[in-house]
Amino acid sequence: MPAPPRHPFLRLHGLLTALGVLAAVALAVYLALRPPLLPVPAPSHPESLDPQLRDHLQQLAALVADSPRDPARRATLALAFAANGLWAEARHAFLDVVRIAPDEPLARLHAAVALQEKPDDPGALSEFESLARDFPAFPQGWYRFGEASLRLGNLTNANTAFSRLSSLAPSEWRGPAGVGEVLLRSGQPSNAIPLLQKAIDLDRSARPAWFLLGQALRAVGQTNEARIALAMGAATTRHPMPDPWSERAPEHMKLLPDQLAQADELGRLGRPDLSIQLLRGALKFHPDNLGLLNQLAVAFNRAGQPQQALPVLEPALQKNPGNVALRITRSHALVLVGRPSEGLADATEAAAASPRTSQAHLAVANACLALERDQDAANALRRAIEADPANPEIHVELASILWRNLDDPPAAAAALSIAIQINPALPAAHLQLGLLQHHLGDLPAARASLANLQLVAPSSPQWRQLQQALAAP
């Protein structure tokens, strides 16, 4: 007698059993092949670290310990090591990310950067070259390969790398600037000029490109144009091409000198609110640091909150009455809150204690202007110039007082000429000189100043202001 048909449930049960076995086998294979659990990297001497940095690293390490196979958390810890100059630890941590996520080019890039910072330029060059070969569409890899090649004088590799960067990232100024630098180093300044000009057209704030253009123009005998270009590129720092990880690095900079520099830069960029936030965080770890207290007060002054600056400064000055920086900052705060006589007393004491500190004389000038003592302000600015003769901005300030407050246009014009001699790329000096020339009825000279502004700061507020003044009837 034939067997009855098997119940569908039994067939389904068998199928599920088979699938379960396959899943168990797959899980076993995955567990066998996945990367081993890596330890959490740590600084070799944590007790010697800045307390804020140590606290920050401990927090990031705890996140890694909670999820040790998460490459993003390890990358963040590695960035924190790198941002604070712990290059050996950074190298180790970035290589850990490479082991966990071998297809992430940023991990290999930053591991090579850490090796370069050790320093090991030949080793880093080899890693950058390998990175560019393995990830040919990764523009930052080609940039680093080009820069590393330039460091070691390999112009052929550098030319290849920067040409490739130009193709991959046509809006990135470092590509044409890199090829231009290769041509300049190869003794071809005339061929370098169009490429360097292209880099500047892509980004007028690219100071290294300006400096290279100045060198090329000088080499072909265009000395006047070279002088302006060199001034536009003065005090050049070669900032690497940014990438998604390097753009996050500043938030992990926890060494106090770096934070003070960051706060000052934020203030100069018109964000004193961010300076205050940054410095208050640092103050928890360095409550008695005079430089930090002074910088916080400066940020309050810049933010238009001098009433907040004074409670920061006064206890510090009671303990350190001879601190010139604190006294200068309090002088500015006192002027801002409408107490210029007290501000002048602070500034005068600072100038007497440190006559070679130009900021002290500038504080005297600031208080004198608030008291409408214009001649005294001009004299204080002259003393500031004696203390810092290479600062063109002080000459511009002096010119403004001489012209608008003391009605001495010839002396003002002389001060502006000196400022332009010091820095021919200073827009404020060209603007003031052009306005003064227009005021005196010397229209050809004023138009020449407008042309200079067009060269150094086209379409800038200064250029528009002078253009409007010359267009007025």
Side-chain angles (χ1 to χ4, degrees):
M1 180 176 180
R6 193 176 183 185
H7 194 281
F9 173 78
L10 296 177
R11 291 198 298 270
L12 178 61
H13 178 73
L15 177 61
L16 290 175
T17 301
L19 290 175
V21 171
L22 288 174
V25 171
L27 178 60
V29 170
Y30 168 75
L31 291 174
L33 295 180
R34 71 173 175 170
L37 196 64
L38 298 171
V40 180
S44 54
H45 298 287
E47 71 284 352
S48 66
L49 297 178
D50 177 292
Q52 187 175 9
L53 172 57
R54 184 169 60 247
D55 179 77
H56 185 63
L57 293 176
Q58 287 172 347
Q59 292 183 41
L60 296 179
L63 292 175
V64 174
D66 285 343
S67 186
R69 287 193 170 89
D70 184 342
R73 293 189 179 189
R74 284 188 179 269
T76 301
L77 178 59
L79 279 174
F81 286 137
N84 295 282
L86 298 172
W87 293 110
E89 293 87 345
R91 167 83 173 166
H92 181 189
F94 282 124
L95 288 176
D96 283 349
V97 180
V98 173
R99 295 183 186 99
I100 296 172
D103 294 331
E104 173 54 77
L106 286 168
R108 287 177 58 180
L109 177 84
H110 285 276
V113 170
L115 183 61
Q116 192 174 43
E117 293 288 344
K118 277 192 149 184
D120 182 356
D121 286 332
L125 174 60
S126 177
E127 293 193 11
F128 288 133
E129 184 175 13
S130 175
L131 175 66
R133 183 175 59 250
D134 294 345
F135 295 91
F138 181 46
Q140 286 85 355
W142 288 104
Y143 164 75
R144 292 285 188 172
F145 179 33
E147 280 289 310
S149 297
L150 279 179
R151 279 197 190 197
L152 294 176
N154 191 326
L155 299 185
T156 300
N157 279 353
N159 185 67
T160 299
F162 287 122
S163 297
R164 180 66 174 154
L165 173 60
S166 296
S167 299
L168 291 171
S171 62
E172 171 56 54
W173 66 268
R174 291 171 180 84
V179 177
E181 184 170 0
V182 169
L183 291 169
L184 184 59
R185 292 194 187 192
S186 301
Q188 304 176 58
S190 60
N191 292 333
I193 289 172
L195 287 160
L196 296 170
Q197 187 60 61
K198 179 181 178 181
I200 291 166
D201 291 341
L202 289 170
D203 186 351
R204 287 192 62 84
S205 68
R207 296 174 73 88
W210 276 109
F211 190 76
L212 291 167
L213 178 61
Q215 290 180 311
L217 291 169
R218 185 171 58 191
V220 300
Q222 298 182 37
T223 54
N224 290 333
E225 296 89 342
R227 186 166 171 265
I228 292 175
L230 290 169
M232 294 287 285
T236 296
T237 300
R238 294 174 76 112
H239 294 292
M241 181 179 175
D243 62 66
W245 286 8
S246 66
E247 289 178 339
R248 291 164 43 205
E251 66 190 75
H252 298 292
M253 296 173 70
K254 300 301 178 181
L255 294 176
L256 186 56
D258 291 335
Q259 291 192 298
L260 294 179
Q262 269 188 295
D264 186 59
E265 182 65 16
L266 287 168
R268 294 179 188 279
L269 293 174
R271 294 304 308 268
D273 56 321
L274 295 180
S275 296
I276 292 168
Q277 179 181 334
L278 177 69
L279 296 168
R280 278 178 163 163
L283 197 62
K284 299 174 184 176
F285 297 89
H286 306 277
D288 300 317
N289 186 281
L290 295 182
L292 175 55
L293 292 169
N294 184 66
Q295 193 69 36
L296 178 59
V298 168
F300 279 128
N301 283 345
R302 286 173 170 168
Q305 302 174 40
Q307 69 279 1
Q308 299 286 341
L310 290 174
V312 173
L313 293 164
E314 286 168 354
L317 270 169
Q318 288 176 2
K319 296 178 181 177
N320 305 273
N323 189 289
V324 170
L326 293 171
R327 201 164 288 280
I328 291 170
T329 303
R330 189 171 70 171
S331 171
H332 287 288
L334 289 167
V335 170
L336 287 170
V337 298
R339 294 156 60 185
S341 295
E342 296 173 65
L344 179 58
D346 260 346
T348 301
E349 186 168 339
S354 185
R356 302 306 303 170
T357 299
S358 62
Q359 293 297 326
H361 300 294
L362 291 173
V364 172
N366 180 62
C368 287
L369 285 173
L371 292 166
E372 299 186 359
R373 292 167 51 177
D374 298 330
Q375 187 60 61
D376 290 337
N379 292 337
L381 287 175
R382 291 188 177 99
R383 290 191 292 273
I385 289 171
E386 291 175 3
D388 188 7
N391 187 335
E393 295 179 1
I394 305 177
H395 292 274
V396 175
E397 291 296 323
L398 176 60
S400 181
I401 294 173
L402 291 171
W403 173 24
R404 301 185 185 279
N405 296 36
L406 298 175
D407 194 24
D408 191 351
L416 290 168
S417 295
I418 294 172
I420 292 171
Q421 288 173 12
I422 296 170
N423 182 2
L426 186 62
H430 290 291
L431 169 63
Q432 287 293 326
L433 184 59
L435 292 173
L436 177 56
Q437 291 161 339
H438 178 254
H439 171 76
L440 295 174
D442 191 348
L443 295 184
R447 292 191 188 99
S449 292
L450 181 63
N452 287 331
L453 260 178
Q454 171 67 25
L455 183 61
V456 303
S459 302
S460 64
Q462 295 89 345
W463 180 85
R464 288 193 294 271
Q465 184 179 348
L466 183 54
Q467 183 190 47
Q468 289 169 3
L470 292 177

